[in-house]
Amino acid sequence: DSGVTQTPKHLITATGQRVTLRCSPRSGDLSVYWYQQSLDQGLQFLIQYYNGEERAKGNILERFSAQQFPDLHSELNLSSLELGDSALYFCASSVRQGSTDTQYFGPGTRLTVL
Amino acid sequence: GENVEQHPSTLSVQEGDSAVIKCTYSDSASNYFPWYKQELGKRPQLIIDIRSNVGEKKDQRIAVTLNKTAKHFSLHITETQPEDSAVYFCAASLGGTYKYIFGTGTRLKVLA
């Protein structure tokens, strides 16, 4: 158990709908990262937040948005869902070690768009 | 843009043999290189990492080596066991940020 929690575990919805995925980082971690992993694919970085502020963006679609709240939990909002959005969505949180950041992953949310 | 190449994409070894997975990175400012193990449907788990000021690190049956000049780093698993079967991802930090660039993964199968 990494200490990072994600809810829900599974989500089944229809095309065109909107969903919200939630992530709570490890105690004391200020950074949250979101990744998308499609079937048998690698980890695609979406976005990073640090202490409430957006810090880095990856290949995140305009239909997707995220935020980090004052209690440091984060939410990833996916709207106008398409079949291709079906994937595992992971968040990770990080602890600073010198000039590097070790990321610990949550258990993921499996999104199925029908 | 910066990238990380990972080879091989699949690897089958007999139980007890060694397995080696290699990654090459492009960003000369990368200074942190973690390796993650992911079992089917589960989260990636950090198994070992190395920083740029170190050439080699070992943790029981797992070791990582880093060649900064060649921009190569490798994962070595000795005395493989069936429970080592999983997908392994390498990653490199992106210089000037806290982002990782992940490799495409290696599916390791340990045959009993």
Side-chain angles (χ1 to χ4, degrees):
Chain A
D1 185 0
S2 65
V4 179
T5 60
Q6 288 186 249
T7 56
K9 271 189 175 180
H10 303 279
L11 200 47
I12 301 174
T13 189
T15 54
Q17 295 298 304
R18 183 178 190 276
V19 297
T20 297
L21 313 184
R22 182 188 169 104
C23 169
S24 292
R26 289 161 22 121
S27 177
D29 286 0
L30 299 179
S31 274
V32 170
Y33 305 76
W34 286 98
Y35 292 88
Q36 179 192 56
Q37 186 176 41
S38 301
L39 188 65
D40 286 340
Q41 297 296 310
L43 292 153
Q44 297 298 318
F45 169 72
L46 295 177
I47 197 164
Q48 179 207 356
Y49 279 81
Y50 177 80
N51 203 21
E53 294 188 2
E54 181 185 305
R55 198 166 191 181
K57 247 182 177 177
N59 299 322
I60 187 166
L61 300 172
E62 285 191 13
R63 301 184 285 109
F64 296 1
S65 64
Q67 57 184 129
Q68 186 179 29
F69 294 86
D71 67 352
L72 300 177
H73 91 271
S74 178
E75 293 181 356
L76 179 67
N77 301 296
L78 314 176
S79 61
S80 303
L81 285 168
E82 301 175 359
L83 296 177
D85 298 327
S86 296
L88 265 172
Y89 290 85
F90 290 102
C91 79
S93 72
S94 67
V95 56
R96 191 81 48 90
Q97 293 184 359
S99 62
T100 58
D101 237 7
T102 299
Q103 295 182 25
Y104 294 90
F105 282 78
T109 293
R110 182 175 295 280
L111 173 66
T112 302
V113 182
L114 300 175
Chain B
E2 306 296 353
N3 73 316
V4 173
E5 292 187 2
Q6 183 172 347
H7 299 282
S9 57
T10 60
L11 179 59
S12 294
V13 299
Q14 291 292 327
E15 183 178 359
D17 287 351
S18 295
V20 180
I21 303 170
K22 300 181 179 181
C23 289
T24 303
Y25 61 99
S26 60
D27 182 5
S28 57
S30 294
N31 62 1
Y32 178 63
F33 308 90
W35 285 88
Y36 288 86
K37 174 184 179 182
Q38 187 180 28
E39 296 175 6
L40 190 62
K42 300 290 181 72
R43 66 184 175 93
Q45 287 187 279
L46 180 72
I47 56 171
I48 197 166
D49 57 11
I50 192 167
R51 289 173 173 78
S52 58
N53 58 347
V54 175
E56 183 174 357
K57 184 177 178 181
K58 191 173 180 182
D59 183 3
Q60 299 182 355
R61 296 185 298 107
I62 295 173
V64 57
T65 58
L66 172 65
N67 182 331
K68 284 176 59 180
T69 303
K71 297 183 190 171
H72 288 167
F73 58 113
S74 299
L75 178 71
H76 304 254
I77 305 174
T78 59
E79 300 172 22
T80 53
Q81 302 167 2
E83 51 265 37
D84 294 330
S85 296
V87 178
Y88 291 81
F89 290 98
C90 64
S93 62
L94 189 60
T97 77
Y98 292 98
K99 287 171 58 175
Y100 292 173
I101 305 295
F102 277 90
T104 49
T106 296
R107 185 175 301 278
L108 174 64
K109 295 182 184 177
V110 180
L111 307 171

